Amino acid sequence: MTRIVLASASRGRREVLRQAGIDPEIRVADVDEEALAASHEEVLDPLPPLARAEATTCLLATAKARTVAAHLGPVETPTLIIGADSLLLLGEELQGKPHTAERARERWLAQRGATAHLVTGHALILIGNERGDERSAAATTELRFADLSDDEIDAYVATGEPLEVAGAFTLDGLGAPYVTHLVGDYHNVIGLSLALTRRLAADMGVFWPSLWPQPAK
Ligand SMILES: Nc1nc2c(ncn2[C@@H]2O[C@H](COP(=O)(O)OP(=O)(O)OP(=O)(O)O)[C@@H](O)[C@H]2O)c(=O)[nH]1
């Protein structure tokens, strides 16, 4: 049995794991994402847009997972810690959560009818076994947004949903009808690609079924 810790406050990420039969412990990492990305801008800025999105989200995901790993300290049993970070790449612009209604409206005026890419960085750290290990990688899902009218943008923004999600939309909420086209991993958009998470865990010798709750003896 491997203990699993999700280093995230994201309800969406937790639900993705729960729907896959895994009930993670939640440990929220206190990472200043803006400051961390800014401190690496000389390395990140020269990269082509998609590479910059992947590198930025992996940097942030790794910081979250490492912060939680450090707080856990020495552990008795093998423990898999998962960190993640999602950004929307629209053109050459990387976007997180809008946080305000004004910014959410501006985002939708720019992205309606457009194609964009939701990039999620994944970082997995395995501690509590003889060697310990770490892997990170990003997954990218291509999306096209419906060409919403100003009135429908105002109505969606007024719900508050778009304010605290990367890209100002959800695939599994009120925003679902506003994505007309998706190529790639659906769960990656919610916040965690299960296929990539499983692959990274397997690369470190974690047998995915060992993460499922074990039947009571
Ligand atoms: N349910 C849902 N959540 C989404 C969707 N798109 C983006 N999100 C959420 O938007 C948030 C992206 O912000 P992040 O900075 O990566 O994560 P966070 O919510 O701040 O949580 P931390 O991992 O603790 O940083 C995550 O919580 C994602 O789950 C979606 O389509 N559905």
Side-chain angles (χ1 to χ4, degrees):
M1 169 77 175
T2 306
R3 181 184 171 195
I4 181 160
V5 177
L6 178 60
S8 177
S10 167
R11 227 183 13 257
R13 288 195 177 107
R14 189 188 60 213
E15 284 315 304
V16 164
L17 286 171
R18 281 185 174 165
Q19 286 158 17
I22 293 171
D23 192 12
E25 289 177 47
I26 302 297
R27 301 285 181 106
V28 179
D30 181 17
V31 170
D32 184 338
E33 296 177 32
E34 301 228 336
L36 182 60
S39 67
H40 287 73
E41 69 184 11
E42 60 193 52
V43 171
L44 296 170
D45 283 2
L47 296 172
L50 187 54
R52 180 159 47 88
E54 293 174 343
T56 303
T57 55
C58 281
L59 171 76
L60 297 175
T62 300
K64 295 176 192 179
R66 286 182 181 171
T67 299
V68 167
H71 287 167
L72 283 175
V75 293
E76 298 296 312
T77 57
T79 302
L80 183 66
I81 300 154
I82 302 174
D85 192 80
S86 300
L87 291 171
L88 183 76
L89 179 64
L90 180 69
E92 300 206 354
E93 204 181 328
L94 268 183
Q95 299 173 345
K97 308 173 190 176
H99 295 304
T100 68
E102 294 70 28
R103 269 208 294 270
R105 186 169 192 280
E106 284 160 18
R107 293 280 188 81
W108 269 101
L109 290 174
Q111 67 197 42
R112 61 182 170 187
T115 296
H117 294 84
L118 196 294
V119 181
T120 297
H122 299 62
L124 275 65
I125 298 177
L126 184 62
I127 55 176
N129 64 353
E130 58 286 350
R131 57 195 173 119
D133 212 344
E134 180 177 312
R135 293 283 189 287
S136 67
T140 297
T141 306
E142 180 184 290
L143 305 151
R144 188 172 307 128
F145 295 112
D147 191 7
L148 301 188
S149 66
D150 293 5
D151 288 349
E152 191 150 10
I153 288 174
D154 291 344
Y156 182 42
V157 171
T159 69
E161 181 185 87
L163 275 60
E164 294 307 326
V165 285
F169 76 100
T170 64
L171 262 186
D172 56 341
L174 298 174
Y178 302 149
V179 175
T180 60
H181 163 101
L182 182 145
V183 178
D185 188 311
Y186 169 89
H187 292 109
N188 186 56
V189 178
I190 312 298
L192 198 72
S193 164
L194 290 164
L196 178 57
T197 302
R198 175 183 169 276
R199 178 168 68 76
L200 295 174
D203 287 352
M204 296 191 291
V206 175
F207 182 53
W208 187 261
S210 73
L211 302 178
W212 298 333
Q214 301 307 308
K217 295 240 187 298

